[in-house]
Amino acid sequence: IDHHRLGGNVVSREPIRFLNEPVGSSSTLIARKFRDRGAPLSKGIALCLCAGLISDTLNLSSPTTTDVDRGILVWLCEIAGVDADQFTLDFFASGSLLHMGTPKELIHTDRKEFEESGKSISITQIEEIQLDGFDKRRAEIEEELEKLCKYKGYDVAVAAITDITNHVSLILAKGDERIISELPFEHREDGLIIAKKVVSRKKQIFPAVC
């Protein structure tokens, strides 16, 4: 069960059951199976699925969000007994990487690799309620990005630190300067890239890099 695009050579020995739909979260697809089959769903599992759905769609604010996600989140919140907006604040505040993560955790906790048009790309996304800890951690993030390019051989390594409240991403990038310079966002003299209204790696950041 997945909500990402297919890539590479997808091969199986035998036919398999495979569910792939363009929704905002795989949690949506799992929850829908429970609902449609009338299977019992505990409060704890509903809460876990809420967390996955809210994390993937930034509480339904990401451009990847669909009407299916919206309907399922309402259903899950009723079972879990939570308010989606308050749960979002509590969820992201409790796991702030900017305040508690090591340099490696900052880069590797949510990092994905892409091969596109002969280019090897790494995109990290760090989602936060607010970005007050960014300045203190910027040098560490840039250092880890440089290490990635050196040891993994990426053409570009990107870290997007996303403010889910104000819908803006601060982007740091290392690697091929030609690719970096063409990113369609605001470039500042100190090398920081400001991407307003950009919150989705899949729909907004990846297409811009490629």
Side-chain angles (χ1 to χ4, degrees):
I1 299 177
D2 199 9
H3 71 117
H4 296 98
R5 69 170 191 156
L6 300 181
N9 297 317
V10 181
V11 178
S12 65
R13 274 189 167 185
E14 303 292 338
I16 63 172
R17 294 184 184 275
F18 183 67
L19 176 61
N20 180 258
E21 292 187 29
V23 295
S25 174
S26 292
S27 293
T28 296
L29 301 178
I30 295 169
R32 190 179 64 185
K33 280 190 169 291
F34 274 94
R35 187 194 64 183
D36 291 352
R37 295 186 180 186
L41 183 63
S42 70
K43 182 176 180 179
I45 293 177
L47 192 64
C48 287
L49 291 172
C50 275
L53 205 166
I54 284 173
S55 176
D56 279 341
T57 66
L58 302 183
N59 193 21
L60 307 179
S61 68
S62 169
T64 62
T65 303
T66 67
D67 287 340
V68 178
D69 300 299
R70 295 182 182 95
I72 289 294
L73 184 58
V74 171
W75 181 70
L76 286 172
C77 285
E78 290 177 353
I79 298 173
V82 296
D83 175 78
D85 293 336
Q86 186 59 51
F87 182 74
T88 298
L89 294 174
D90 295 340
F91 177 76
F92 283 100
S94 68
S96 171
L97 282 174
L98 280 181
H99 289 93
M100 297 181 290
T102 66
K104 286 189 176 181
E105 287 172 339
L106 284 167
I107 295 301
H108 295 283
T109 294
D110 188 4
R111 185 175 73 84
K112 294 187 178 180
E113 300 176 345
F114 303 90
E115 293 288 338
E116 192 75 18
S117 303
K119 300 296 183 182
S120 179
I121 301 162
S122 170
I123 303 179
T124 292
Q125 187 165 29
I126 303 167
E127 296 167 339
E128 299 282 330
I129 290 293
Q130 54 188 1
L131 305 181
D132 57 326
F134 172 74
D135 290 338
K136 293 180 180 179
R137 307 305 301 273
R138 175 177 174 174
E140 295 174 290
I141 295 171
E142 291 182 309
E143 183 178 350
E144 287 297 320
L145 288 176
E146 289 177 347
K147 288 179 181 178
L148 268 182
C149 284
K150 179 179 180 180
Y151 295 112
K152 293 283 190 176
Y154 295 121
D155 292 284
V156 177
V158 172
I161 299 85
T162 301
D163 183 333
I164 69 166
T165 303
N166 296 307
H167 292 184
V168 61
S169 290
L170 306 182
I171 295 178
L172 299 172
K174 297 294 179 181
D176 189 328
E177 288 297 335
R178 182 187 61 81
I179 297 175
I180 295 171
S181 66
E182 292 179 357
L183 291 177
F185 308 123
E186 178 188 347
H187 291 249
R188 298 199 175 174
E189 292 184 0
D190 64 354
L192 182 63
I193 300 171
I194 310 296
K196 296 179 181 178
K197 297 184 179 179
V198 171
V199 297
S200 171
R201 172 169 44 200
K202 179 168 62 176
K203 289 281 190 177
Q204 298 170 303
I205 300 172
F206 173 64
V209 176
C210 299

